[in-house]
Each structure stands twice: as structure tokens, then as C-alpha cells.
Amino acid sequence: MRLNRTLLSTALVVVALVVQVSVLARLQLPGAVPDLLLLTVLGLAFVYGPVSGSLIGFGAGLLADLAPPPTTRPGATPWCSASSAISPVWSGRRTGS
């Protein structure tokens, strides 16, 4: 990835994590909390492709593991897998299928 992409991806992931931990976690929704970080990672993986998306997903998973409060969240591997799963969609978009 180029430097601009790296900085943009890092900023988007950090902002999504901060919003998720500080705002969305405090919402009193019945049953679940919206996962803004996952949507951000999947969006970046769709735009930048499977390899970059896997790296972004792995980094976002590591950051999510370090973010407070410590809960039983999925680790970095499921984030990497989820962002890699978007690769068939990305490949179809690149070839024009």
C-alpha cells in the first residue's frame, strides 16, 4: 500500500474503533451492539483488495483486542478472515464480471 492509503486506512480504523468503544457501546440496544469497525474493515478490503484488506483486518483485530473494556471479542484472525472473504467480490469487480 502507498503511504496515503496506509495513513487513510489507519485513521479510519482508529476513528471507527474510538466511535465504537465510546459511543456505540453505550447505546442500550436490545441484543447487540453495532460493529462499526467490522464495516470499516470490510469497506476498506473491498476498495483496496484482498491482500491489503487482510492486513487491515489483522491490524484492526489487534487494535480491537487492546481496546477497553476487555471483553470476549473475536481476535485478529477472524477479522483477517472476514476481510479476505471479500476477495471474490473484489476480483469480480476488477475483471468487470
Side-chain angles (χ1 to χ4, degrees):
M1 286 193 299
R2 293 185 174 194
L3 182 63
N4 291 339
R5 286 184 177 183
T6 304
L7 292 175
L8 177 65
S9 300
T10 303
L12 286 174
V13 166
V14 168
V15 167
L17 181 64
V18 167
V19 169
Q20 181 172 330
V21 169
S22 62
V23 176
L24 296 179
R26 288 176 173 52
L27 291 177
Q28 298 296 324
L29 298 176
V33 175
D35 200 348
L36 182 63
L37 187 60
L38 180 62
L39 292 175
T40 304
V41 167
L42 290 178
L44 289 171
F46 183 74
V47 171
Y48 294 147
V51 175
S52 298
S54 296
L55 293 173
I56 293 168
F58 188 74
L62 288 177
L63 282 176
D65 286 343
L66 296 175
T71 59
T72 56
R73 289 181 237 177
T77 305
W79 288 86
C80 185
S81 301
S83 58
S84 294
I86 201 78
S87 64
V89 175
W90 185 81
S91 298
R93 185 178 66 107
R94 291 287 287 192
T95 60
S97 322

